[in-house]
Amino acid sequence: MYQRPRRNRKSPAIRKMVQETQLSVSHLIYPLFVTHNKKDKSPIVSMPGIHRWGMEDLLQEIEECLALGVENFVLFPVIPEEKKSKKGEYSYDENNFYLKVAQEIKKRFPEANLMSDVALDPYSTDGHDGIVENGVILNDETLPILSQMSLAQAQAGFDIIGPSDMMDGRIAAIREILDVHNYTNTSIMAYSAKYASAFYGPFRDALDSAPKAGDKKTYQMNPANKKEAILEAVLDVEEGADFLMVKPALSYLDVIHSLNEHFTVPITAYNVSGEYAMVKAAAMNGWLDYDATVEETLLSMRRAGASAILTYHAKDYAQSLKK
Ligand code: PBG
């Protein structure tokens, strides 16, 4: 035998020397759920270890994360029922607590890289990402609301705007309103290939944002499709996206790989709530080694071509490195 691949695996030093993919805390973006109630820390049952945070505890959580090297955060608002409406006007109301929390975070921790969520569902009485009329999700009528929401978020200090709504043309609409108001330095991370997935279940529990009627299949993608992800990505790049996201991650590693081959902008992966819940539940039952499984899954997303990963495991992973 001239070739013995095992020679390159014979010691930890050699294995590390030839390791092709690196994973570090700097690649991770930590999602946090924010409530209007200042003093609040309520656990999310279907996501053990993850909470809804009021502003005070949230600031402390962010401080702890920064000390662990986690510097990127994405915030999702838990909107009280009485603030919800057909068109989600509260999303850009100047008294919106989500915007105030963002302002406070940037004031206290300017080094934190803060990403927003743009979509109607948390604010909508219908629980859909766009305006609903007679059971139809309206596209063009939704764009001005998404634009207003994005501008309000840029004004509040968010570094990256994260449209997760999957309406056609929203990246161009958002880029335009940001530029017109001189927010040329505010980035856009497009949820480009966002699939109609069963893996979002725990997230919708956390936000109480599940659709009241119907499903999201007229705007989120069919899990069977890959070429369509390229079409979505082409449009998002043309319209001004700085990053292209694939969501969920684990069942869509081939899509991450494809986008990374075709595009020069960074590709990101969203390791979603249901993927977190699966690993956590198995580990809590003693069926999987939690730290090892988390490292392997995150590494697989990096190997597939993701530059950054949105993951609820971010803090756990950072802590595991200190052990
Ligand atoms: C909604 C939104 C969803 C997620 C992020 N933004 C859910 C959905 O589309 O219904 C899911 C994230 C997760 O499951 O972790 N705009």
Short mmCIF file of all heavy atoms in Angstrom, two decimals, residues 33 47 76 117-122 129 164-165 191 194 199-204 207 209 211 216 220 247 270-274 312, ligand 1:
data_model
loop_
_atom_site.label_atom_id
_atom_site.label_comp_id
_atom_site.label_asym_id
_atom_site.label_seq_id
_atom_site.Cartn_x
_atom_site.Cartn_y
_atom_site.Cartn_z
N PHE A 33 -34.80 36.05 22.34
CA PHE A 33 -36.22 36.44 22.32
C PHE A 33 -36.44 37.54 23.36
O PHE A 33 -36.09 37.37 24.53
CB PHE A 33 -37.11 35.24 22.64
CG PHE A 33 -36.97 34.13 21.64
CD1 PHE A 33 -36.36 32.93 21.97
CD2 PHE A 33 -37.43 34.29 20.34
CE1 PHE A 33 -36.21 31.91 21.04
CE2 PHE A 33 -37.29 33.27 19.40
CZ PHE A 33 -36.68 32.08 19.75
N MET A 47 -37.82 24.51 23.94
CA MET A 47 -36.40 24.78 23.68
C MET A 47 -35.66 24.88 25.02
O MET A 47 -35.27 25.97 25.45
CB MET A 47 -36.22 26.10 22.92
CG MET A 47 -36.95 26.15 21.59
SD MET A 47 -36.81 27.76 20.79
CE MET A 47 -35.10 27.69 20.24
N PHE A 76 -35.45 38.70 18.38
CA PHE A 76 -36.83 38.44 17.94
C PHE A 76 -37.80 38.94 19.01
O PHE A 76 -37.62 38.60 20.18
CB PHE A 76 -37.05 36.94 17.70
CG PHE A 76 -36.26 36.40 16.54
CD1 PHE A 76 -35.07 35.73 16.75
CD2 PHE A 76 -36.71 36.58 15.25
CE1 PHE A 76 -34.32 35.24 15.68
CE2 PHE A 76 -35.98 36.09 14.17
CZ PHE A 76 -34.78 35.42 14.38
N ASP A 117 -35.01 41.22 12.95
CA ASP A 117 -35.90 40.36 12.17
C ASP A 117 -36.94 41.24 11.52
O ASP A 117 -37.57 42.06 12.18
CB ASP A 117 -36.58 39.33 13.08
CG ASP A 117 -37.48 38.39 12.28
OD1 ASP A 117 -37.00 37.82 11.29
OD2 ASP A 117 -38.67 38.24 12.63
N VAL A 118 -37.11 41.10 10.21
CA VAL A 118 -38.14 41.85 9.48
C VAL A 118 -39.14 40.86 8.90
O VAL A 118 -38.79 40.04 8.06
CB VAL A 118 -37.51 42.67 8.33
CG1 VAL A 118 -38.61 43.32 7.49
CG2 VAL A 118 -36.57 43.73 8.88
N ALA A 119 -40.36 40.94 9.39
CA ALA A 119 -41.49 40.14 8.88
C ALA A 119 -42.70 40.58 9.69
O ALA A 119 -42.55 41.13 10.79
CB ALA A 119 -41.26 38.64 9.06
N LEU A 120 -43.89 40.33 9.16
CA LEU A 120 -45.09 40.77 9.87
C LEU A 120 -45.53 39.81 10.98
O LEU A 120 -46.24 40.21 11.90
CB LEU A 120 -46.24 40.95 8.86
CG LEU A 120 -46.73 42.38 8.72
CD1 LEU A 120 -45.60 43.26 8.19
CD2 LEU A 120 -47.91 42.44 7.76
N ASP A 121 -45.13 38.54 10.88
CA ASP A 121 -45.79 37.53 11.74
C ASP A 121 -45.82 37.81 13.25
O ASP A 121 -46.85 37.60 13.87
CB ASP A 121 -45.30 36.11 11.43
CG ASP A 121 -43.81 35.92 11.55
OD1 ASP A 121 -43.07 36.92 11.45
OD2 ASP A 121 -43.35 34.78 11.73
N PRO A 122 -44.76 38.34 13.88
CA PRO A 122 -44.90 38.55 15.33
C PRO A 122 -45.92 39.65 15.65
O PRO A 122 -46.46 39.69 16.75
CB PRO A 122 -43.50 38.99 15.78
CG PRO A 122 -42.60 38.89 14.61
CD PRO A 122 -43.43 38.74 13.38
N ASP A 129 -46.48 36.33 7.50
CA ASP A 129 -45.36 37.26 7.30
C ASP A 129 -45.74 38.46 6.43
O ASP A 129 -44.95 39.39 6.28
CB ASP A 129 -44.17 36.51 6.67
CG ASP A 129 -43.59 35.47 7.63
OD1 ASP A 129 -44.31 35.08 8.58
OD2 ASP A 129 -42.45 35.06 7.44
N SER A 164 -37.02 38.13 6.94
CA SER A 164 -37.29 36.68 6.99
C SER A 164 -38.64 36.35 6.38
O SER A 164 -39.16 35.26 6.56
CB SER A 164 -37.27 36.21 8.45
OG SER A 164 -38.35 36.75 9.18
N ASP A 165 -39.21 37.32 5.64
CA ASP A 165 -40.62 37.23 5.23
C ASP A 165 -40.85 36.50 3.91
O ASP A 165 -41.96 36.05 3.64
CB ASP A 165 -41.14 38.65 5.08
CG ASP A 165 -40.24 39.43 4.14
OD1 ASP A 165 -39.16 39.88 4.60
OD2 ASP A 165 -40.55 39.54 2.95
N TYR A 191 -32.93 36.35 4.13
CA TYR A 191 -33.34 34.95 4.26
C TYR A 191 -33.72 34.57 2.83
O TYR A 191 -34.85 34.75 2.41
CB TYR A 191 -34.54 34.80 5.17
CG TYR A 191 -34.33 34.99 6.66
CD1 TYR A 191 -33.84 36.18 7.19
CD2 TYR A 191 -34.67 33.97 7.56
CE1 TYR A 191 -33.68 36.35 8.55
CE2 TYR A 191 -34.51 34.14 8.94
CZ TYR A 191 -34.02 35.33 9.43
OH TYR A 191 -33.88 35.50 10.77
N LYS A 194 -35.50 30.25 2.28
CA LYS A 194 -36.19 29.90 3.52
C LYS A 194 -37.30 28.92 3.16
O LYS A 194 -38.21 29.26 2.40
CB LYS A 194 -36.75 31.14 4.19
CG LYS A 194 -37.52 30.81 5.46
CD LYS A 194 -37.96 32.05 6.21
CE LYS A 194 -38.73 31.67 7.46
NZ LYS A 194 -39.17 32.85 8.22
N PHE A 199 -39.53 22.37 11.07
CA PHE A 199 -38.54 22.61 12.13
C PHE A 199 -38.69 23.98 12.82
O PHE A 199 -37.89 24.31 13.68
CB PHE A 199 -37.12 22.48 11.56
CG PHE A 199 -36.71 21.05 11.28
CD1 PHE A 199 -36.69 20.56 9.99
CD2 PHE A 199 -36.35 20.20 12.30
CE1 PHE A 199 -36.33 19.25 9.71
CE2 PHE A 199 -35.98 18.88 12.04
CZ PHE A 199 -35.96 18.41 10.75
N TYR A 200 -39.66 24.80 12.39
CA TYR A 200 -39.87 26.10 13.05
C TYR A 200 -40.84 26.01 14.23
O TYR A 200 -41.12 27.03 14.87
CB TYR A 200 -40.42 27.15 12.07
CG TYR A 200 -39.62 27.33 10.79
CD1 TYR A 200 -40.27 27.72 9.62
CD2 TYR A 200 -38.26 27.12 10.75
CE1 TYR A 200 -39.57 27.88 8.43
CE2 TYR A 200 -37.55 27.27 9.57
CZ TYR A 200 -38.20 27.65 8.41
OH TYR A 200 -37.52 27.80 7.24
N GLY A 201 -41.38 24.82 14.50
CA GLY A 201 -42.42 24.67 15.53
C GLY A 201 -42.09 25.33 16.87
O GLY A 201 -42.86 26.16 17.36
N PRO A 202 -40.94 25.01 17.48
CA PRO A 202 -40.64 25.59 18.80
C PRO A 202 -40.53 27.12 18.78
O PRO A 202 -40.93 27.78 19.72
CB PRO A 202 -39.29 24.95 19.16
CG PRO A 202 -39.24 23.68 18.37
CD PRO A 202 -39.95 23.98 17.09
N PHE A 203 -40.02 27.68 17.68
CA PHE A 203 -39.90 29.14 17.55
C PHE A 203 -41.29 29.78 17.59
O PHE A 203 -41.50 30.80 18.25
CB PHE A 203 -39.21 29.47 16.22
CG PHE A 203 -39.09 30.94 15.88
CD1 PHE A 203 -37.93 31.64 16.17
CD2 PHE A 203 -40.14 31.61 15.25
CE1 PHE A 203 -37.81 32.99 15.83
CE2 PHE A 203 -40.02 32.95 14.91
CZ PHE A 203 -38.86 33.64 15.20
N ARG A 204 -42.25 29.17 16.90
CA ARG A 204 -43.60 29.75 16.87
C ARG A 204 -44.25 29.64 18.24
O ARG A 204 -45.06 30.49 18.62
CB ARG A 204 -44.44 29.07 15.78
CG ARG A 204 -43.91 29.39 14.39
CD ARG A 204 -44.70 28.70 13.29
NE ARG A 204 -44.02 28.84 12.00
CZ ARG A 204 -44.37 28.20 10.90
NH1 ARG A 204 -45.41 27.38 10.93
NH2 ARG A 204 -43.71 28.39 9.78
N LEU A 207 -42.78 32.62 20.30
CA LEU A 207 -43.30 33.95 19.94
C LEU A 207 -44.82 34.00 19.90
O LEU A 207 -45.40 35.06 19.74
CB LEU A 207 -42.79 34.33 18.54
CG LEU A 207 -41.62 35.30 18.47
CD1 LEU A 207 -40.43 34.75 19.21
CD2 LEU A 207 -41.25 35.58 17.03
N SER A 209 -46.54 32.92 17.42
CA SER A 209 -46.66 33.57 16.11
C SER A 209 -47.11 32.61 15.01
O SER A 209 -46.94 32.89 13.83
CB SER A 209 -45.31 34.18 15.72
OG SER A 209 -44.34 33.17 15.54
N PRO A 211 -49.31 30.75 12.23
CA PRO A 211 -50.42 31.27 11.41
C PRO A 211 -51.77 30.85 12.00
O PRO A 211 -51.93 29.71 12.42
CB PRO A 211 -50.21 30.60 10.05
CG PRO A 211 -48.88 29.96 10.07
CD PRO A 211 -48.42 29.86 11.49
N LYS A 216 -47.58 28.49 5.31
CA LYS A 216 -46.74 29.51 4.70
C LYS A 216 -46.21 29.09 3.32
O LYS A 216 -45.24 29.66 2.82
CB LYS A 216 -45.59 29.87 5.65
CG LYS A 216 -46.09 30.47 7.00
CD LYS A 216 -44.95 31.10 7.81
CE LYS A 216 -45.49 31.84 9.03
NZ LYS A 216 -44.43 32.60 9.74
N GLN A 220 -42.94 30.66 1.57
CA GLN A 220 -41.72 29.91 1.90
C GLN A 220 -41.56 28.78 0.89
O GLN A 220 -42.51 28.31 0.28
CB GLN A 220 -41.81 29.37 3.33
CG GLN A 220 -41.90 30.52 4.34
CD GLN A 220 -41.94 30.07 5.78
OE1 GLN A 220 -42.09 28.88 6.07
NE2 GLN A 220 -41.83 31.02 6.69
N LYS A 247 -32.14 28.40 5.29
CA LYS A 247 -32.84 28.09 6.54
C LYS A 247 -33.92 27.06 6.30
O LYS A 247 -34.71 27.26 5.36
CB LYS A 247 -33.45 29.39 7.07
CG LYS A 247 -34.38 29.22 8.26
CD LYS A 247 -35.01 30.53 8.60
CE LYS A 247 -35.91 30.32 9.81
NZ LYS A 247 -36.67 31.49 10.14
N TYR A 270 -29.10 29.09 9.08
CA TYR A 270 -29.89 29.23 10.31
C TYR A 270 -30.19 27.83 10.85
O TYR A 270 -30.99 27.09 10.30
CB TYR A 270 -31.19 29.99 10.03
CG TYR A 270 -31.87 30.55 11.27
CD1 TYR A 270 -32.53 31.77 11.24
CD2 TYR A 270 -31.85 29.87 12.49
CE1 TYR A 270 -33.16 32.30 12.37
CE2 TYR A 270 -32.47 30.39 13.62
CZ TYR A 270 -33.13 31.59 13.56
OH TYR A 270 -33.75 32.10 14.68
N ASN A 271 -29.49 27.49 11.91
CA ASN A 271 -29.68 26.23 12.64
C ASN A 271 -30.90 26.46 13.56
O ASN A 271 -30.77 26.98 14.64
CB ASN A 271 -28.37 26.00 13.44
CG ASN A 271 -28.36 24.76 14.31
OD1 ASN A 271 -27.69 24.76 15.35
ND2 ASN A 271 -29.04 23.73 13.92
N VAL A 272 -32.09 26.07 13.05
CA VAL A 272 -33.35 26.57 13.63
C VAL A 272 -33.79 25.87 14.91
O VAL A 272 -33.18 24.87 15.33
CB VAL A 272 -34.50 26.52 12.59
CG1 VAL A 272 -34.18 27.39 11.39
CG2 VAL A 272 -34.80 25.08 12.19
N SER A 273 -34.88 26.39 15.46
CA SER A 273 -35.39 25.95 16.76
C SER A 273 -35.61 24.44 16.84
O SER A 273 -35.25 23.81 17.84
CB SER A 273 -36.68 26.70 17.09
OG SER A 273 -37.66 26.48 16.09
N GLY A 274 -36.21 23.85 15.81
CA GLY A 274 -36.50 22.42 15.85
C GLY A 274 -35.23 21.57 15.83
O GLY A 274 -35.17 20.49 16.42
N TYR A 312 -28.97 28.55 18.34
CA TYR A 312 -29.32 28.64 19.77
C TYR A 312 -28.26 27.96 20.64
O TYR A 312 -28.30 28.08 21.85
CB TYR A 312 -30.71 28.02 20.00
CG TYR A 312 -31.78 28.68 19.17
CD1 TYR A 312 -32.15 28.15 17.93
CD2 TYR A 312 -32.38 29.85 19.58
CE1 TYR A 312 -33.10 28.77 17.13
CE2 TYR A 312 -33.34 30.49 18.79
CZ TYR A 312 -33.69 29.94 17.57
OH TYR A 312 -34.62 30.57 16.78
C1 PBG B 1 -40.69 34.36 10.96
C2 PBG B 1 -39.51 33.61 11.40
C3 PBG B 1 -39.53 32.24 11.70
C4 PBG B 1 -38.25 31.91 12.15
C5 PBG B 1 -37.47 33.08 12.09
N1 PBG B 1 -38.26 34.11 11.61
C6 PBG B 1 -40.64 31.27 11.70
C7 PBG B 1 -41.53 31.15 10.56
O1 PBG B 1 -41.20 31.47 9.42
O2 PBG B 1 -42.66 30.71 10.79
C8 PBG B 1 -37.88 30.54 12.62
C9 PBG B 1 -36.64 30.40 13.42
C10 PBG B 1 -36.50 29.11 14.16
O3 PBG B 1 -37.30 28.16 14.01
O4 PBG B 1 -35.55 29.03 14.95
N2 PBG B 1 -40.58 35.40 10.11
#
